[in-house]
Structures are given as C-alpha cells and as structure tokens.
Amino acid sequence: MIQLENITKVYQTKVIETTALDNINIEVPEGEFLSIMGPSGCGKSTLLNIMGMIDEPTTGQVTVAGKLVGNYHSKATARFRNEQLGFIFQSFHLINELSVIDNVELPLIYRKVSGKQRRQMAEAALTQVGLSNRMKHFPSQLSGGQKQRVAIARAIVGQPRIILADEPTGNLDSAMGNEIMDILMRLNQEQGTTIVMVTHDETMARKTHRLVRLFDGQQVS
Amino acid sequence: MFSSYFKLAIKVLGRHRFFTFISLFGISFTLMILMVTTSFLETELGSHPPLTEKDRMVLLPRLIMKQMVTDTTWSVDTTMLDGQPAYDSTFTVGKKRQNSYSSSSLSYSFLDRYMRDIPGAEAHSFFCSDTQFDIFINGKKLNFKTLYSDATYWEIFDFKFLAGRPFQPSEVERQVQVAVLSRKAAVDYFGTTEQVVGRSIEMDGKQLEVIGIVEQPSNSKDYVTSEVYLPLTLMSGSALTETGFHGPFAAVFLAESPQARATIVESIRQKADRIPLPNPEDYNKLELMPATVIGLYAYYMMPVQDDPEGALQMFTLVAIGLMLLFILLPTLNLINLNISRAMERSAEIGVRKAFGAHSGSILAQLVFENVVLTFLGGILGWLFALALIYLVNDSQVLGDTQLQFNTAVFLYSLLICLVFGILSGLLPAYRMSKLHIVNAIKFNNL
Amino acid sequence: MIRHIFQLVWNKKRSNALLFLEIFFAFAILFLVLTWVTRNLRLFSTPLGFETENTWIVHLDFYDAEDTLAASATKVRLREELLALPQIEAASYGGDVSPFSGSIWSTNNDNNGFMIQTHLVFADEHYKDAARLKLVQGRWFDETDRDARYKPVVISKKLYDESFEGRNLQDSVYTIDGENKIVGVVDHYKYHGDFSPEYNVTFFYEPSSAIDMPNLHLLLAPGTPVAFEEEVNRIVADVTGKSDFTIEHLQKSRDQAARSVWVPMISMLSICGFLVLNVALGLFGVLWYNISKRRAEVGLRRTLGASRTEVSLQFVGEIMIVSLLALLLGAVFAVQLPLMGVLEGEIEAFDYYVAMGVGAAFIIGLVLLCTFYPSQEAGRLQPAIVLHEE
C-alpha cells in the first residue's frame, strides 16, 4: 500500500543542517497495522508526514496506493490525500468553533460531497466510534478521549484505505488510551484499513502486526 | 513604580512593531483631526477680540414681513322642507397660511425709531456691513469692504487698535470724513502700517483721513470684518432716511450678563407684534429675528428658516453626532487590535496573577499601557495638527480666519486623548484581566 | 463550502462582532459623505446656461435720483458709450437679483388650473446677448415688448417641462405675475452657483432705461487686458457722476461661490479617506493575528485535502461574509433615506443610490485588498510544520 524507497530528509537552516531521516526503506502492505517507535527527535513524525504526503523528502521516492507521488503541492495530490488517507494527531486538532458533526464532515467538504450525504456519512462515522449522542456538542464540552474519538470519526468518514496516527494516545490516560486502541484494532480487523501508528507506548505497539524502530533517523529493526 | 510601568509599557509596544505602527497611525491621525477641529471651533466661536463680550451680545440681522391669510369657505346646503327650499349656510374659517414673504436686513429709520429703548440692553449699536468700493491705486484695483457704524460700535466690539483710535460720537454727528482701516487694508493701500494715521485715502469720491488701524479679527464674521470702517453719517443717498422697513442695516445689543440676553430677545420679539406695518394690504405680520453670536453662526450653516436657536440645536446635534461617529471607527479599530493581541499576552498575564496580581491591577496596567500609546499618538497628532494649522493659515483656504492653537485648545486635546485612550483600552483590558490563571498559562491549540 | 464558511463565521459571532461594527460604521460614514459628493457632482455637471467668463457687472444705484428722466437718459447714454468701445461686445441692464448674489425673488400660484412655481429675474432686451442665453423656443424680448398689452415673459425649459408639458405657447396668456404672454423658452439658467440646483426661472421684461434695473452687465471681447477695467471705471464715473459703484468680475464670484462647496467637500473626503484607510490597516492587522492563531487549523485543512487556494479563499470568504452582512445592515438603514425622501429637493434618490453602490463597492474592494496578502500567506503554510508547532 505504501512504499518508501531511499527516503532521506534533511532540514537546512541558515547555520545548521539536520538529518531527520537517513536512507529509510519501508514497505507497508495493504491491511497491515504498523507501529513506529523510537525516542524523541528520531524522526518518527517526519516519517509519518512523508507517508502522508504532507512533507517532501529531500531524496527518495514515495508510492502510495500504487501512485508515485510527484508534486507534493498540487491540487491532484491534495485530492488524492483526501480520498486515500485519514489522519489522527496527538493533540486532536479539532476546530473549536465547529460542532462535533461539522468537524467530522470536514474532509467531505473538500471532497465536494453534497450536504445531505455528508450528514449521513458523518453520522455513520460517529456511530462507529460510539459518539452519535454528542453530534451537536462542541469540542470544549468533551473529554480528551471523546475528542480523539471525534478525530477518528473524522479520519474514517471518507472511508480511506490508509490511516496515519501520530501518537494517538499520547494525551490520554490509560483507560481512554485502551479504548482508542480498541477502535483502531477493530478498524484494521473488520475493514482491512491499513494503519501506520507512531507511538511511545510499547504495550500498544505489541498489539499491532509489525514494529519498526527508528533511532537518529535510521531504521534499527 | 509608575516609571517602571511606563518603561514596561514602552517595551511592550516595541515588541510588536507592526501593531504599534497601525495603532499610532490611526490614533495620531484621529487626534490630529480632532485637535484641528477643536482649534477651528475655538477660533470661530471663542471669545476673541473684537468679540470678547460675545456672550453678552444679541444681534438683530433680519426683519421679516409676511402676509397671513385665512381661507374661508362659505357653503350653502339647500334642502326641501314642506315643499319650500330651506337654506342652511355654514361659514368655516380655515387655518392661517402664508401668502407672501419678504426677508431682508433692516433700514436705519426703523432701527432708529423702534430699537433704541430695548429693555435689558446696556448699549446698542446700528451698523451697515453690506457695502464695497473699488479703488484704483498704483495701477492695481482694490476692492474695499466698508462697514458703516455709529460710535457705540467700538464700545461693544473690542477691536485691537494697532495705532490711532476709533471715531467719536461728535465726529459721527458732524459727518467728519474720517476712517478706520484694517491692517490688511493699510498694507494694500499704503504698503505699510507704519505712520499711516493722519494720511488719507480716496474712496467714493471723498478724501478720508485715517484715524486708526485695527488688527484683523481672527474669524470672518461679516458684522465685524471689514477693510474700512466709516461713520454711518457719511453714507450717501437716502440710506439713512428711507422710510421702508427693509434696508442694509443691522443692530447689536449688549446685555448686562449672558443670562440677560433672553430678556433682550424676548423684548425684541414682543415689540415686533406691536409695531404697525406701513402697507397692511401687502404684508400684515412683522417678525424680527434676534440671534446670539453662536446662534447666528449656526443659522448660516443649517437649512432652517428664521430660527437661529433651532439652527443652533441642529448644529450642536450634527456636530456631536459627527464627532462621535468620527471617533468611533478608530476606537473600534483599536479595540479590535487590542483584543487580537490579547492571546499573545495571556501567558504573561497568567504568570502575573500567579504571583499575586489581582484582576483590578491587571486592568489598571493594561489601560495604562493603552493610555501611554494614546498619548504617544497624541504627541504625533499634535505635531501634525500644528503643521496642518500652519498650512491652513498660510494658504488662506478659510479666508481671513486664522486658526489658533492656544491653551484652551491644548487642554481640550489632552482631555480628548485621555478619554480616547481609556475608551479604547477598557474593553479589551477588562476581558484580559478576567483570564483564569490556568487557562492563561496553558498555550491554546486551535 | 459556502455553508461551511457561514457556519464558521456564525459560530465565532462574538469575535467577529467588532469587525462587523467597524465595517458597518465605515459604510455609514462613506454613504453620508458620498451622498453629499454625488449630489454636488451631479449639480456641477448641469450647465449654467449663461456666460461668466469675460463678464463684468457694474453695480450702480439710481434709486436716489430726483430726476428720473435724466437718470434714464444717463443709463442709456452710458450703455451706448461703452458699447462703442471695441473691447465690449454686449451690454445689458439687469435687476437687483444678479447671478451668485444669493438673492431670490420667487412666486407661485395655481391660477391657471395648474401649479406654477418660479423665481423671477428682470432683464432687458439685450440680456440674451450679454449672457449668451440659448433659446429653445420662441424669441427673447425686443422693442415690440415695450408697449405690449400683456407683459411678456421668457421662461426656462425646466419650468416649461414642469408646468406646461408640451403645450403650444403661441398666443396664450397665463398668470404668473399678473397676466403674461410667454414669448420664449430658455435652455438653462442656473444662477445660484455651480453646486446649486436649477430653479424654475421666469424672465420679466424691463427696458434698459428703467430705474430699477441698476446692474450693467458687460460682455468683454476675449483677451481684453486687465488694465481696461480702470478705463471702464473712468467712463462710468464720468457719465454717471457717481463714485460709489463697484465692478464685479462674474467669473470670480462664480469661483468663490463654488469654493464654499469645494473646500468642505474635499476636507470631508480626505477625512473619510483616512478613516477608511484606518479601517483597512486595522483589518489587515487583525487578519494577520487571526491567521497566526489558526496556523494549526490551516495545517489540518491542508492535510484533509484542501488545496492552497481553498485555504486562502476560506479566509477571504470568512471576512467577506462578515463584511457583506455588515454592508447589508448598512444598506437597510441607508435605503430608508431615499424611501422617506429625506431632504427632498436638495438631494435626489439618485444621489443616495449611487452613494450606496459606490460605498459598498469601495468597501468590498478594500476588504479584498487587505485580506489578499494574509490569506495567501495562510495558504502557503506548510502542514508538516504547523501541525507540530507546540
């Protein structure tokens, strides 16, 4: 589903040159639930960003869902990202001024789906994460776990084939974290969604199919 | 402590240069306009020579004659009663309406006959400011506005004499050919104001001896501003003797106090009702229009008829409305900018509160900072205002009116700055001061 | 998408309220000032109808003359002597009401079965040449009018259109000021000033010799030197024996009358301009800060598939909606003025509507200009960076 070949990412500031990723090669087959672990600053998030086509590698090739990614800034890439990928972030990144259901509908707005259909799809996604009774609430009225569930609903509302999760349980306590993990596992098992998850938590990582460790930008296992 | 707050305020402003620039631009320009407007109003309506006693003056510039008619209807109803026609007539008197209207300044004979004993008037003067003469001298043409008056004119209006003196009652009576010149007229005619007294000018076929030179009034009111001032007995023709009510004259009355003006106004109005009209077939109602100095000023600006006091009310309303509207936009702008900035300072506010500052002192600090900003803008605005005033005076775009920036204007401006600063700082400061410590320190996401 | 932006704006009512108010009041001020400006420009563009360049008026006064016959003769003689000079092309005597003087004589009646409302101006048979009036119907006064049975008058086309509406004026008598025969219709006579409305005018005939026609209008040949005035002054003084007359330069009076409108108008416009500039800068600043607070949101949207343009347009759209709503509210208030006919006669509905349109267009243009750059910058934010900023 995702192929990264000889990926290198170097950050240039005026004074320093930092290598975030050094010659990474990873292939994620369809339906796999992959975990990426490593200490802070080892490039995990960068790797996820590159997989998600929101960051451009300095050298190397990225192929997602069979398509070789060329221009990272084009409209076509944006559309492609909208259709194929779903994102989940550690700090949720919900829009506080929109209600829960409006937050979930957001990817569909960029897909130009009609109002009625959007609503139906969003309601379905919220039901899937168990939040159908909180549709009109606002993020400020939800707990951390509920917010992340809304984020997951947003990530799956367009039925993407790949979900990229950046430390999804990082801001949650263990009980909530387990709930989130369960939802992700269910998604992967029941719908065959490919999931790549960056995490600090070894116990969470053990539940997934495969674990890749990064250290200083290099793959170590 | 005050100076530390001040230094802090300056530092804060320096941190966000773009915001400070925008705010200063808006504030300084707004304050510049307000200061120039204040200066303008102060010059036009303030008590400067020769109108130092303006608050005791009542002017009488116009006399109005109307013909009021009542429409009457006579209707006859014819009915049959016992085979005989019966007539039922109704005579209805309608409302009064105005058929003819004539409004103009007054004649000397009218003033002389009816306006010399107005109760409440300490002094009175009659004058005519409507005349001009062309003079050809040294190949150039001068057009001198000429004001004819009696001697009391100079007692009521306190002109500043650069040289010489005004004419005396005896000179007026004996029709002595003397003249008082304005400074500008002296320079135009003689090229200088030095040693002009005693020389003569030739005007209207007469030789007039210059006995005094006066300073230009700082604002152009046509009843005090002129190039030449002459005794009214020098007027040619029948101006003094014509018997109609209309003519080129006006009158001014001096009351004992500003409150006593009302007595004069009332007396004049009542007198108008008692004066018999010369030709009642043409006009059957007489009205006099007395006005205060400020009332007359407003009258010329507002689209009202014959009602200086109404005009003054309208003028005040419009002026206040415009001022408020004008200040409103920059204030809203500033509030908006301040609120936008608020979140950036929330961490600092939270820390201060954590270390013991209460909401009130945060509020005071923020308002103080805003007032400092406003005063900085005020200083800039003051500089711009001075420059603008200089330009306006230099280019004579307002005619003879010379704007001044005196103590009164300065104090008003200070007040405006203060009010402006507090108004625009209060709302954002209030909201910021109420921030909960915990929320303030934690940095927000979206 | 538009619904989505509406949603965003609506949910952030409170923080958008200030911007809303600013735009509303800016529109209000623009509307008021532009109405005044439009009215003035509209009036300025209507023709004056008479000559003002190279025109002088000698203000004489014969009311005190004891021997009125001699005074009349003097008047006629003066005119002839001046006309003999090559620099003077036409000369005519007029009444006390002269252009730009501010004096008005008016009358109205409905004795003819319809309403006639008009100003009165007295002129002799030479005035048409001295003022270069244009006739659209009939003729100007001539000698046959001296002993006419019905007093002849010439009316302005405005009065004709308003009260006579296509009637044939030939051989008809109407009551205007007594019984009058209308002998001609003049194109325009806007004698109060460039910025005043054109009032209905009726010219009444008085011969040159009449005592109550004291103002001598002189039309000079173009290029006449300034020094000529002293010669005219001398001739007038010699012929009439008077010394208290003045010579008015009509163009100068016209300019002065116009100035009393130009100066305040330009001042108002300048102040208006700076106020609006103030709002623009403020808008720019607010938008800048707004976007800098919402960087993460931009990153999120880009991740979800929004293109750069879509992100830019979203920010522009938010501000535009607030502005349009504010303009709508402003228009609701503004449109009351023409509908209620406020200051009718001075200000026409046309002025109000033009001012509304221009004001709204200007504000929209300004808003677009100010939001363009910050929203472009927003679109260019890199999602990878902004999403991980804290």
Side-chain angles (χ1 to χ4, degrees), chain B residues 29 33-34 39 235 427:
Chain B
F29 182 76
I33 295 288
L34 283 175
S39 164
M235 279 184 94
L427 183 63

Side-chain angles (χ1 to χ4, degrees), chain C residues 11 13 26 33 70 119 131-132 135 140 151 157 170 178 219 236 250 260 273 275 299 305 312 327 347 365 390:
Chain C
N11 290 350
K13 290 191 283 293
V33 174
H119 287 198
R132 295 229 171 97
L135 283 164
W140 187 249
K151 287 205 144 121
K157 183 158 182 304
Q170 201 75 329
L219 182 64
V236 175
L250 200 58
S260 69
L275 272 181
S312 304
L327 286 178
I347 303 184
E390 88 298 331

Side-chain angles (χ1 to χ4, degrees), chain C residues 1 21 37 47 49 65 67 80 86 92 99 115 131 139 144 150-151 185 187 200 222 250 273 285 302 309 314 373 383:
Chain C
M1 180 50 120
L21 281 177
V37 171
D67 185 350
E80 282 165 8
S92 145
M115 192 65 174
R139 61 172 180 84
T144 66
Y150 296 107
K151 287 205 144 121
V185 178
D187 198 354
N200 293 337
L250 200 58
R302 297 267 279 127
T309 328
Q314 180 209 319
Y373 186 63

Side-chain angles (χ1 to χ4, degrees), chain A residues 61-167:
Chain A
Q61 285 194 112
V62 179
T63 312
V64 176
K67 257 193 68 177
L68 181 65
V69 183
N71 184 352
Y72 284 80
H73 303 296
S74 70
K75 253 191 166 163
T77 307
R79 284 289 158 270
F80 189 65
R81 187 159 58 235
N82 177 286
E83 281 155 21
Q84 304 295 339
L85 303 173
F87 283 84
I88 304 170
F89 305 96
Q90 179 178 2
S91 37
F92 325 128
H93 284 315
L94 297 179
I95 298 182
N96 289 329
E97 291 90 16
L98 293 176
S99 65
V100 161
I101 188 132
D102 286 327
N103 265 291
V104 174
E105 281 184 14
L106 202 52
L108 301 177
I109 290 179
Y110 290 116
R111 208 187 283 190
K112 313 277 198 295
V113 174
S114 81
K116 232 170 113 192
Q117 211 184 341
R118 278 205 312 259
R119 191 102 317 195
Q120 279 173 358
M121 292 169 76
E123 281 179 15
L126 279 170
T127 315
Q128 238 184 308
V129 299
L131 276 179
S132 47
N133 58 333
R134 294 239 192 264
M135 285 196 285
K136 292 294 186 193
H137 288 203
F138 282 83
S140 52
Q141 298 167 305
L142 304 177
S143 72
Q146 289 168 326
K147 283 195 234 195
Q148 195 62 295
R149 283 198 270 164
V150 174
I152 295 178
R154 179 180 64 195
I156 62 174
V157 72
Q159 291 171 340
R161 290 155 75 182
I162 305 168
I163 290 193
L164 302 173
D166 193 345
E167 310 226 32

Side-chain angles (χ1 to χ4, degrees), chain A residues 29-76:
Chain A
E30 187 167 0
E32 179 171 89
F33 193 150
L34 174 70
S35 299
I36 303 180
M37 284 193 70
S40 295
C42 67
K44 316 193 286 290
S45 295
T46 314
L47 186 60
L48 210 64
N49 290 344
I50 290 179
M51 285 188 188
M53 302 183 288
I54 61 178
D55 202 358
E56 198 172 344
T58 315
T59 58
Q61 285 194 112
V62 179
T63 312
V64 176
K67 257 193 68 177
L68 181 65
V69 183
N71 184 352
Y72 284 80
H73 303 296
S74 70
K75 253 191 166 163

